[in-house]
Amino acid sequence: DAMVIQNPRYQVTQFGKPVTLSCSQTLNHNVMYWYQQKSSQAPKLLFHYYDKDFNNEADTPDNFQSRRPNTSFCFLDIRSPGLGDAAMYLCATSSDGTGNSPLHFGNGTRLTVT
Amino acid sequence: GNSVTQMEGPVTLSEEAFLTINCTYTATGYPSLFWYVQYPGEGLQLLLKATKADDKGSNKGFEATYRKETTSFHLEKGSVQVSDSAVYFCALKTASGYSTLTFGKGTMLLVSP
C-alpha cells in the first residue's frame, strides 16, 4: 500500500544533542509537511516543501531545519533540542498544494528530551 | 486569516448514542473542509471532506455537510461504537491557489460500552 512512513516511532535524545527524524513516502506526492503536535493540542505546521521549494512558517524556531534530498524522503533536524521540543512530530504529504488535495499523515515520531 | 473553532471535549457517550461535534470556520474565499481522526498513539487519518457548499462528506457512518450560510461543518454519526473513541480534528484549506491546512484544536470522543 502507498503510504507515509516515519522512523523511528519513538526517539529519545539529550538536551542539546542534535537529532534527526525521517519520513518517506511511496505516494509520489509533490508536497511534504512537518507538523509538531504537543499533548492535547492541534498539529502546528513547522514547514513544508513543494517539490524542492522550502517554505518555512514565520514562527518556526531556527533550531528546526529540514532537508528533502529527493521526492520520497524528507528529514527534520533539531539542532539543539530543548525540553520544550518534546512532542509528536508528524510528517504529511499531499499531491499538490491546492484546496482539494487532502493531507496523508504518517504515524508520527514521539520525541522525548531528557 | 483562516481559523477553525471546534467544541471543547471530551465528549463522553455510551455506545449506540448519537454524536455531533460542532465545527465553525473563518476563511477568505471558499475553503475545502476536512475532518481528520487521530486514534491513540497514531497519526492523523482523513475521515471525510467536502469541497463546496452543500456538499456532504461521509465515511464509516460519519457525515458532515458544508454549510456556507452558517460557516459550519459539523460532524455527525447516528450510532457510535467504542472503537470510535479518538480525537477528531476539523480543518480547512482555501480552495484557490496554493494553501496549507489549518486545524481546529481537536475534540476528544470517549465511547463507553
Side-chain angles (χ1 to χ4, degrees), chain B:
Chain B
N2 298 336
S3 67
V4 176
T5 303
Q6 289 182 236
M7 61 188 290
E8 294 217 7
V11 173
T12 305
L13 295 173
S14 298
E15 206 164 25
E16 298 184 4
F18 184 86
L19 168 72
T20 300
I21 299 178
N22 291 338
C23 171
T24 57
Y25 67 89
T26 302
T28 53
Y30 301 100
S32 294
L33 301 173
F34 305 85
W35 277 101
Y36 282 83
V37 58
Q38 186 174 32
Y39 298 102
E42 297 185 12
L44 279 72
Q45 301 174 28
L46 177 65
L47 182 59
L48 52 85
K49 70 174 188 177
T51 58
K52 61 183 188 296
D54 300 325
D55 267 2
K56 177 185 283 189
S58 61
N59 185 25
K60 299 181 181 179
F62 291 88
E63 57 183 36
T65 301
Y66 189 139
R67 301 283 187 204
K68 179 169 169 288
E69 63 277 11
T70 55
T71 62
S72 65
F73 192 53
H74 304 321
L75 182 68
E76 296 181 337
K77 187 175 185 183
S79 176
V80 294
Q81 306 299 313
V82 172
S83 58
D84 293 327
S85 298
V87 180
Y88 293 81
F89 291 93
C90 186
L92 71 81
K93 259 188 156 193
T94 51
S96 60
Y98 177 71
S99 70
T100 58
L101 204 61
T102 299
F103 285 97
K105 291 186 176 181
T107 302
M108 179 178 286
L109 170 65
L110 299 171
V111 181
S112 55

Side-chain angles (χ1 to χ4, degrees), chain A residues 23-98:
Chain A
C23 176
S24 63
Q25 56 130 341
T26 60
L27 297 159
N28 203 33
H29 280 173
N30 289 324
V31 193
M32 294 188 78
Y33 307 80
W34 279 105
Y35 283 85
Q36 178 192 64
Q37 186 182 26
K38 295 190 174 179
S39 182
S40 305
Q41 296 183 22
K44 177 182 179 298
L45 182 64
L46 295 173
F47 27 58
H48 68 278
Y49 276 93
Y50 192 107
D51 289 332
K52 295 186 177 184
D53 292 335
F54 178 70
N55 298 272
N56 199 31
E57 294 300 296
D59 57 354
T60 298
D62 292 340
N63 197 25
F64 291 85
Q65 304 285 319
S66 186
R67 296 171 283 134
R68 189 179 185 186
N70 53 52
T71 300
S72 301
F73 286 89
C74 196
F75 300 98
L76 169 62
D77 301 309
I78 308 176
R79 293 192 295 187
S80 181
L83 297 179
D85 296 328
M88 174 78 89
Y89 289 88
L90 297 169
C91 175
T93 72
S94 66
S95 56
D96 56 44
T98 62

